[in-house]
């Protein structure tokens, strides 16, 4: 019985030697697979097989979520739909005694509009105030730009770094960045160092870019999400933003939690490559591609 219980209970050890991974598994058709055991997984670090020490299914661990809303002018016409779907998502996802959410808006700069809270009311109040810059602000040079990468770095380093639970950022943006000091690589590495999943929702207004530049963001968002072990979504006629939020919620509730102790001790801080697969044929495993090994 103790062994069975150990298999079911999520274990996120504070021991620096333990590396914790969250993984989602799907069929090729995209259906979530929830019934795997520890023995179904094969884990490699820098190509070397590792022993999975800790394992739990359908992790019920607390969630720390950052809702990241692009408030640049290119989003003006989709802002109302983004806000409405965000209200609904928070209503469904937030367990007030367990989970925490913060809201960050970004245009020329990134601002935390609501610090971490478990209060639905506080989040609703903050979200209702998130909007694109006013004409007056634009005339004053406030808000005209998009600093997506800076926002991810700020959220990772200033909020997620201190958190111990499952961590996810949800980006609502067209993926275009034109004012960040940070690079795309900086953003990905900041998320990886803080063990944060970055879900991307591409929500673009085709009319916002005269030369069709609004779609440049797709490959950027796909890269951020895949490298951090999360999913990329695009709002379309086939899949609306409410459906996408439902899919993210389902994914967050259906993750496997795995822990291992690397067979090679850390001599100096470095990124190490991870490869997680299953012995079952035809399944796709989603997890981060690298982790930051440090003492």
């Amino acid at each position: 019985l103790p062994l069975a219980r150990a298999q079911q209970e999520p274990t996120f050890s504070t021991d620096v030697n333990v590396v914790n991974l969250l993984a989602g598994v799907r069929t090729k058709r995209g259906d979530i697979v929830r019934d795997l055991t520890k023995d179904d997984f094969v884990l490699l670090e820098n190509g070397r097989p590792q022993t999975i020490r800790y394992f739990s299914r359908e992790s019920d661990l607390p969630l720390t979520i950052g809702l990241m809303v692009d408030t640049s002018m290119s989003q003006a016409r989709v802002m109302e739909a983004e806000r409405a779907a965000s209200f609904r998502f928070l209503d469904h996802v937030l367990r007030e005694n367990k989970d925490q959410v913060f809201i960050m808006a970004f245009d020329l700069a990134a601002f935390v509009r609501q610090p971490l809270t478990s209060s639905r009311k506080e989040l609703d109040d903050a979200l209702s105030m998130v909007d694109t810059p006013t004409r007056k602000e634009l005339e004053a040079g406030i808000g005209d730009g998009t600093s997506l990468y800076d926002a991810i770095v700020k959220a990772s380093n200033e909020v997620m770094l201190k958190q111990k639970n499952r961590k996810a950022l949800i980006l609502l943006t067209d993926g275009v960045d034109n004012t960040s000091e940070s690079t795309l690589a900086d953003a990905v590495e900041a998320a990886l160092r803080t063990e944060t999943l970055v879900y991307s929702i591409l929500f673009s207004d085709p009319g916002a870019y005269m030369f069709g530049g609004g779609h440049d963001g797709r490959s950027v968002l796909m890269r951020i999400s895949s490298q951090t072990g999360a999913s990329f979504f695009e709002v379309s006629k086939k899949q609306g933003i409410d459906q996408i939020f439902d899919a993210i919620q389902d994914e967050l509730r259906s993750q496997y939690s795995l822990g291992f102790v690397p067979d090679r001790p850390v001599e100096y801080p470095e990124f190490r490559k991870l490869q997680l697969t299953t012995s079952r044929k035809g399944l796709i495993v989603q997890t981060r591609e690298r982790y930051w090994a440090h003492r």
Side-chain angles (χ1 to χ4, degrees), residues 9-295:
E9 286 180 5
T11 310
F12 267 42
S13 169
T14 52
D15 185 332
V16 290
N17 293 325
V18 177
V19 178
N20 295 299
L21 278 182
L22 290 168
V25 182
R26 292 181 180 272
T27 64
K28 285 183 177 167
R29 275 183 16 188
D31 300 323
I32 291 175
V33 179
R34 297 178 168 90
D35 64 346
L36 298 179
T37 67
K38 181 170 80 168
D39 297 333
D40 289 316
F41 287 95
V42 178
L43 176 64
L44 304 179
E45 180 203 84
N46 285 353
R48 298 159 65 93
Q50 303 295 315
T51 302
I52 297 168
R53 303 273 188 100
Y54 308 104
F55 179 85
S56 68
R57 202 161 48 203
E58 295 195 68
S59 176
D60 199 35
L61 287 169
L63 281 165
T64 301
I65 292 175
L67 196 59
M68 314 276 289
V69 185
D70 182 344
T71 51
S72 59
M73 289 309 293
S74 62
Q75 298 298 92
R77 283 192 284 193
V78 296
M79 184 60 61
E80 193 52 52
E82 287 184 359
R83 246 198 319 261
S86 299
F87 281 126
R88 186 173 166 277
F89 173 71
L90 293 176
D91 256 356
H92 282 73
V93 155
L94 185 70
R95 298 166 295 181
E96 291 202 80
N97 58 342
K98 201 165 194 178
D99 304 323
Q100 287 194 303
V101 179
F102 69 95
I103 296 172
M104 180 178 277
F106 60 95
D107 36 57
L108 186 62
F111 303 97
V112 174
R113 296 297 187 198
Q114 172 57 55
L116 274 177
T117 181
S118 290
S119 162
R120 196 170 279 118
K121 184 186 183 310
E122 285 181 1
L123 290 164
D124 284 355
D125 289 349
L127 200 52
S128 63
M129 301 301 288
V130 170
D131 208 348
T132 48
T134 62
R135 182 171 290 180
K136 195 172 177 184
E137 286 172 330
L138 288 171
E139 285 169 359
I142 299 167
D144 190 13
T146 313
S147 298
L148 169 63
Y149 307 149
D150 284 351
I152 295 170
V153 170
K154 184 182 174 88
S156 299
N157 293 345
E158 294 183 16
V159 184
M160 293 307 201
L161 185 62
K162 305 168 190 136
Q163 303 305 309
K164 295 284 182 218
N165 302 324
R166 289 187 296 153
K167 296 177 267 194
L169 296 178
I170 298 174
L171 298 177
L172 281 155
T173 177
D174 58 15
V176 176
D177 186 308
N178 48 26
T179 46
S180 280
E181 289 182 14
S182 310
T183 63
L184 172 57
D186 293 336
V188 169
E189 290 193 0
L192 286 171
R193 282 172 194 251
T194 55
E195 300 178 13
T196 302
L197 301 161
V198 184
Y199 287 91
S200 301
I201 303 175
L202 176 64
F203 203 159
S204 62
D205 170 13
Y209 294 90
M210 288 172 64
F211 305 105
H215 293 293
D216 297 349
R218 182 184 286 108
S219 59
V220 162
L221 295 177
M222 288 175 85
R223 182 173 157 191
I224 293 168
S225 292
S226 69
Q227 290 194 10
T228 60
S231 293
F232 161 83
F233 299 92
E234 182 169 2
V235 177
S236 63
K237 283 179 183 158
K238 275 190 191 167
Q239 193 175 33
I241 189 159
D242 280 328
Q243 288 169 285
I244 288 169
F245 269 133
D246 286 344
I248 292 174
Q249 179 185 336
D250 205 17
E251 224 171 87
L252 288 170
R253 297 276 176 250
S254 313
Q255 290 171 319
Y256 297 91
S257 161
L258 301 91
F260 74 100
V261 177
D263 69 332
R264 217 163 35 93
V266 178
E267 291 173 17
Y268 52 87
E270 61 177 342
F271 275 109
R272 291 184 178 181
K273 195 177 173 200
L274 292 168
Q275 193 177 355
L276 185 66
T277 53
T278 74
S279 47
R280 281 204 213 171
K281 293 271 189 295
L283 298 185
I284 298 154
V285 180
Q286 184 177 298
T287 193
R288 54 196 162 121
E289 294 179 0
R290 294 175 289 158
Y291 79 97
W292 183 243
H294 60 97
R295 281 193 278 197

